[in-house]
């Protein structure tokens, strides 16, 4: 009897673990750009922070429009700002896709003072005066849970809005309200 209860518990546990480790589909950098990054620095894992931003660009709602939007941002960061790569670790498209920027462990350029210890996730669009699509919010949260389950992000990772740590309106008031629903969000940077 006892062992049967244990077996059922184990099944329940492994089922809940499987749900937690489900990662969103990530469109690789090589799938949206042919321009390679310059110099690369790596982050030390597990990473303690995730910083949320918005791109302050028009939104996009299809794979092809999001792809060109992401590559435009990369070009702006590399050609205009003179950076080695797109500044964000990941971008969330209005098409419901995650676009890999510099990725989980390559150092980005998104939040002065936090680039060496955080992953920067940017939502494509401007959410200061406009509601953000809940699908985008859920996908970003799923990405964070995925990073935790893979040991890339610390289990007690702190998610912050850009405005909590640098002088910026990012990620926009509407999106900032949304991320405060996540258990990983911290009021204390
Ligand atoms: C939110 O985004 C998803 C994924 O792109 C889309 O299917 C859905 O129609 C969008 N919802 C609204 C209200 O725009």
């Amino acid at each position: 009897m006892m062992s049967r209860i244990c077996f059922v518990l184990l099944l329940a546990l492994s089922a809940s673990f499987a749900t937690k480790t489900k990662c969103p589909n990530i469109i690789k950098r090589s799938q949206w750009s042919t321009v390679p990054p310059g110099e690369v620095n790596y982050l030390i894992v597990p990473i303690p922070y995730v910083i949320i931003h918005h791109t302050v660009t028009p939104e996009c709602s299809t794979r092809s429009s999001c792809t060109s939007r992401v590559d435009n941002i990369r070009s702006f960061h590399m050609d205009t700002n003179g950076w080695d790569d797109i500044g964000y670790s990941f971008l969330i498209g209005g098409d419901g896709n995650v676009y890999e920027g510099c990725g989980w462990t390559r150092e980005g350029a998104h939040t002065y003072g936090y680039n060496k210890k955080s992953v920067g996730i940017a939502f494509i669009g401007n959410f200061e005066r406009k509601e953000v699509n809940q699908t985008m919010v859920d996908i970003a949260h799923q990405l964070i849970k995925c990073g935790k389950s893979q040991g890339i992000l610390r289990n007690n990772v702190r998610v912050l809005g850009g405005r909590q740590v640098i002088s910026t309106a990012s990620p926009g008031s509407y999106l900032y309200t949304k991320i405060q629903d996540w258990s990983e969000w911290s009021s204390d940077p």
Side-chain angles (χ1 to χ4, degrees):
M1 184 62 191
M2 196 58 202
S3 71
R4 196 175 302 167
I5 290 171
C6 284
F7 181 68
V8 169
L9 266 175
L10 217 96
L11 272 182
L13 269 173
S14 57
S16 76
F17 194 71
T19 332
K20 273 197 193 114
T21 52
K22 194 175 177 303
C23 296
N25 179 47
I26 298 172
I27 295 173
K28 296 208 168 305
R29 192 188 183 290
S30 60
Q31 289 175 273
W32 59 259
S33 187
T34 53
V35 182
E39 198 183 309
V40 170
N41 290 318
Y42 288 92
L43 302 176
I44 297 165
V45 295
I47 300 162
Y49 291 96
V50 171
I51 314 289
I52 306 296
H53 285 290
H54 63 169
T55 58
V56 195
T57 65
E59 292 173 29
C60 57
S61 57
T62 61
R63 168 100 182 239
S64 72
S65 62
C66 289
T67 292
S68 52
R69 177 68 55 215
V70 173
D71 204 27
N72 284 343
I73 295 168
R74 179 208 57 73
S75 165
F76 183 74
H77 288 177
M78 290 178 82
D79 306 334
T80 307
N81 295 354
W83 298 346
D84 285 304
D85 199 357
I86 188 167
Y88 306 118
S89 312
F90 294 99
L91 299 95
I92 310 296
D95 61 341
N97 280 313
V98 178
Y99 292 82
E100 179 190 40
C102 50
W104 285 120
T105 58
R106 281 172 280 157
E107 182 184 335
H110 47 85
T111 314
Y112 185 79
Y114 279 78
N115 293 326
K116 290 188 185 306
K117 55 183 179 184
S118 70
V119 163
I121 302 176
F123 286 61
I124 298 174
N126 184 336
F127 306 102
E128 184 57 30
R129 287 188 195 84
K130 188 172 177 288
E131 194 59 77
V132 54
N133 184 322
Q134 188 61 41
T135 303
M136 295 171 75
V137 176
D138 293 343
I139 292 271
H141 195 196
Q142 197 190 345
L143 180 67
I144 291 166
K145 288 189 276 192
C146 156
K148 279 165 64 173
S149 72
Q150 294 191 352
I152 300 166
L153 300 177
R154 277 196 199 166
N155 222 21
N156 64 350
V157 64
R158 289 185 192 191
V159 175
L160 305 171
R163 60 170 65 183
Q164 290 176 268
V165 287
I166 56 171
S167 171
T168 178
S170 182
S173 296
Y174 281 90
L175 178 52
Y176 184 53
T177 300
K178 289 280 187 187
I179 65 171
Q180 293 176 39
D181 292 340
W182 299 344
S183 62
E184 295 86 356
W185 178 75
S186 173
S187 59
D188 171 25

